[in-house]
Amino acid sequence: MLGGLINRLKRKKVSPKTRKKSSKEDAEYILLYGTQSGNTQTMAKAFFKGLLAEGKKVFMDELDNYSLYENATHLIIFTSTYGVGGPPSNGNYFEDLIKEKEPLNPLKFSVVAFGSTSFPEFCQFGVDVDKWLESVSGFERFIPLVKINEQSISDIRSWLSLWNRTSGMEVQIGLKDIGKKKSKIEDFIVLENPEINEDNTSLIKLRPKNQISFQSGDLLGIIPEGSQKPRMYSIARIGDDIHLSVKKHDKGICSRFLCNLQKEDIVVASLERNESFHFVPDAPSVWLIGNGTGIAPYLGMMEENQHSPLKLIWGGRTESSFHIYKPYADKAIKHGRMEKYELALSREGNSKYVQDILAEEENEVARALESGAVFMLCGSMAMQDSVLKVLNKITNDKLDRAISSFMNNGQILKDCY
Ligand SMILES: Cc1cc2nc3c(=O)[nH]c(=O)nc-3n(C[C@H](O)[C@H](O)[C@H](O)COP(=O)(O)OP(=O)(O)OC[C@H]3O[C@@H](n4cnc5c(N)ncnc54)[C@H](O)[C@@H]3O)c2cc1C
Ligand SMILES: Cc1cc2nc3c(=O)[nH]c(=O)nc-3n(C[C@H](O)[C@H](O)[C@H](O)COP(=O)(O)O)c2cc1C
């Protein structure tokens, strides 16, 4: 009881006056946050500012202040989890409130769950909130629930890119608003950018002009001309060079810019460390799982690996989609740094996805996870969801454990977008 009071006081201290640019009656977007020690509120505020910059009418408030909103169309919830999968101190009554008061107009909901994989009930309160909203009439899902581990900036970016894609907005979250240091902008020289392949994908080689420290799994951030929104690209380190794989989107500003680069052009960008997606050199075995451009960081990890049995499972449309990456994989096999690779081709032979291969190899997957293997996932969010579903089924059926326990101990690493 006293602990709760102290937490409440602490939270009050870290939370300066809530900014309410629109009243709750006027706002179209209602952003509610559940927090105990203030981190989730900081994230919510950054998103709030981003929505305001997009000209949206937004109202931000605490989770337990949920009420009826006359003009709202969207309900966005950022919440952390406390105790053992329970609510933070300002989220105790939310379940009762939404069940008591049906919204005045249908509300499209999106839940962002903050937590830590070091707890067995990872993001459980956010999961519960999402489930309650799904079950109560008057609420309609806008985007799937996303879990954020330890306020990971790359998890936030993935969620933001999903939000922007679905809403057609260009919301940005300022790094300084979430207390992260701004990365240094550097020049990179284009060494190679061969012809784009039939899947509209390029494999680009860059060399930093100055010596900088980075490794495979880090992200290259680029702000293209005419835009303020940074675009992120997962990178491989091979020697001192950066290799990245870029899918060209028809109307995509940055992907078109990158795919059209010529040898010796200069790219201005920043390199951001992505701690949670680095190779684990001493793992008993490593499974690299990805689709499309998600293979990029693995091209460097195949070089980096010294001791671990390593396997790649990659999903693409056709065998020739893999041609641009094949030399890297063949070289790693030749030098004994990778055991094998398997392709899941969706438009050739028996149409297959990476999760189908995992399901076929369920016994091997279970044995590997049980013995401490690290599974890395990079590529589309849709792939991530499907793969996690299959892995969860395997670990439940074969090991009587939920996949979350393997996420908690760092055996499942994700970098999806
Ligand atoms: C952590 C992280 C890592 C990433 N790594 C890579 C990577 O290694 N390689 C890579 O190619 N991209 C990667 N991305 C995506 C990348 O940052 C850009 O979002 C993408 O290149 C589109 O940017 P754009 O400027 O070309 O398109 P925008 O100008 O932002 O958008 C133009 C059009 O493209 C559509 N669009 C944008 N992104 C997608 C998408 N993913 N799927 C379908 N349609 C889309 C939009 O709906 C819009 O119509 C990553 C994203 C994140 C968050
Ligand atoms: C005492 C305590 C209990 C926690 N319990 C959980 C938990 O059960 N599940 C989880 O995913 N995270 C748990 N967390 C992690 C927090 O949810 C995470 O650090 C979150 O980002 C904190 O956000 P906040 O500062 O907005 O409250 C716990 C943290 C603390 C300090």
Side-chain angles (χ1 to χ4, degrees):
M1 186 66 184
L2 187 59
L5 179 63
I6 291 169
N7 276 325
R8 210 155 238 281
L9 291 174
K10 263 204 223 148
R11 184 161 45 74
K12 281 268 149 57
K13 240 182 172 174
V14 292
S15 53
K17 226 170 150 219
T18 312
R19 288 171 56 177
K20 293 174 186 169
K21 284 282 160 69
S22 286
S23 68
K24 75 174 184 185
E25 289 78 22
D26 284 348
E28 285 172 54
Y29 292 80
I30 307 296
L31 173 56
L32 300 182
Y33 61 89
T35 185
Q36 185 113 356
S37 51
N39 294 300
T40 309
Q41 184 183 8
T42 304
M43 296 289 180
K45 252 194 209 163
F47 183 61
F48 173 75
K49 274 174 124 178
L51 283 174
L52 287 180
E54 283 279 293
K56 303 294 172 200
K57 290 183 170 174
V58 203
F59 175 78
M60 179 166 135
D61 208 340
E62 299 188 42
L63 202 50
D64 274 347
N65 288 340
Y66 172 80
S67 83
L68 297 179
Y69 307 99
E70 278 167 36
N71 283 302
T73 52
H74 282 79
L75 175 67
I76 304 136
I77 293 184
F78 280 32
T79 186
S80 62
T81 290
Y82 266 79
V84 187
S89 54
N90 63 350
N92 285 306
Y93 306 108
F94 180 72
E95 181 181 9
D96 295 339
L97 291 169
I98 53 159
K99 290 183 175 167
E100 246 162 47
K101 301 177 186 171
E102 192 172 317
L104 300 171
N105 310 305
L107 278 181
K108 294 199 168 92
F109 72 90
S110 315
V111 179
V112 191
F114 291 78
S116 165
T117 54
S118 57
F119 292 88
E121 307 277 341
F122 178 44
C123 288
Q124 188 56 48
F125 182 65
V127 171
D128 290 341
V129 165
D130 190 74
K131 211 167 51 197
W132 297 329
L133 290 168
E134 193 158 46
S135 67
V136 172
S137 70
F139 295 101
E140 185 192 310
R141 176 175 301 287
F142 186 55
I143 49 177
L145 167 94
V146 171
K147 297 178 185 174
I148 312 285
N149 183 29
E150 308 268 0
Q151 293 116 39
S152 147
I153 187 87
S154 71
D155 286 355
I156 303 264
R157 276 199 200 101
S158 299
W159 177 77
L160 192 64
S161 81
L162 182 63
W163 169 271
N164 281 337
R165 267 204 312 278
T166 314
S167 65
M169 293 183 194
E170 286 222 355
V171 177
Q172 294 168 56
I173 289 188
L175 285 176
K176 73 173 185 342
D177 291 332
I178 47 178
K180 304 274 174 196
K181 268 202 267 147
K182 232 181 169 164
S183 315
K184 210 170 146 222
I185 305 290
E186 304 276 352
D187 283 353
F188 299 84
I189 305 160
V190 178
L191 297 184
E192 269 178 41
N193 189 12
E195 285 254 301
I196 198 159
N197 80 356
E198 66 194 42
D199 295 333
N200 272 332
T201 303
S202 261
L203 194 55
I204 303 167
K205 262 187 235 171
L206 303 174
R207 178 165 296 169
K209 234 176 163 181
N210 299 313
Q211 220 184 2
I212 34 180
S213 112
F214 65 96
Q215 71 186 86
S216 296
D218 286 342
L219 296 163
L220 190 72
I222 301 174
I223 304 182
E225 246 180 73
S227 169
Q228 295 189 322
K229 185 182 81 165
R231 316 295 202 272
M232 307 312 298
Y233 296 90
S234 309
I235 57 153
R237 177 174 188 152
I238 298 179
D240 286 335
D241 298 333
I242 291 170
H243 295 225
L244 63 154
S245 172
V246 179
K247 164 104 184 181
K248 186 173 177 181
H249 295 283
D250 279 350
K251 293 184 186 138
I253 305 175
C254 197
S255 58
R256 276 188 307 158
F257 160 75
L258 288 171
C259 292
N260 292 336
L261 284 170
Q262 303 292 315
K263 200 172 167 184
E264 293 183 4
D265 281 350
I266 300 284
V267 179
V268 180
S270 62
L271 264 176
E272 298 196 15
R273 281 190 77 70
N274 192 12
E275 285 310 338
S276 55
F277 204 69
H278 288 163
F279 192 68
V280 181
D282 46 7
S285 69
V286 182
W287 292 49
L288 305 175
I289 299 162
N291 67 342
T293 53
I295 195 173
Y298 302 154
L299 302 176
M301 293 178 189
M302 291 172 197
E303 280 272 318
E304 190 179 331
N305 179 39
Q306 298 284 334
H307 317 291
S308 300
L310 185 70
K311 173 157 118 172
L312 167 74
I313 301 179
W314 180 81
R317 288 181 179 174
T318 61
E319 181 137 21
S320 58
S321 309
F322 190 65
H323 281 171
I324 50 174
Y325 312 119
K326 194 170 183 296
Y328 296 78
D330 288 343
K331 187 174 163 208
I333 288 176
K334 189 171 158 210
H335 292 281
R337 289 192 292 261
M338 186 159 77
E339 286 188 340
K340 64 170 177 175
Y341 61 83
E342 291 173 272
L343 305 183
L345 306 176
S346 62
R347 299 199 183 173
E348 231 168 51
N350 301 333
S351 170
K352 216 184 239 186
Y353 297 93
V354 285
Q355 63 271 22
D356 300 327
I357 294 187
L358 293 167
E360 282 166 13
E361 297 177 5
E362 55 179 1
N363 290 326
E364 201 189 330
V365 168
R367 268 198 308 273
L369 282 170
E370 201 173 26
S371 66
V374 171
F375 280 53
M376 303 188 76
L377 273 56
C378 189
S380 72
M381 290 280 261
M383 178 214 61
Q384 174 181 301
D385 288 349
S386 312
V387 165
L388 289 178
K389 255 189 213 135
V390 167
L391 291 181
N392 191 40
K393 183 167 184 322
I394 296 174
T395 57
N396 272 302
D397 291 355
K398 306 266 169 201
L399 306 172
D400 203 18
R401 281 171 69 183
I403 192 67
S404 56
S405 71
F406 296 97
M407 290 161 98
N408 295 343
N409 63 13
Q411 280 183 254
I412 305 221
L413 309 179
K414 303 172 288 150
D415 182 39
C416 292
Y417 41 90

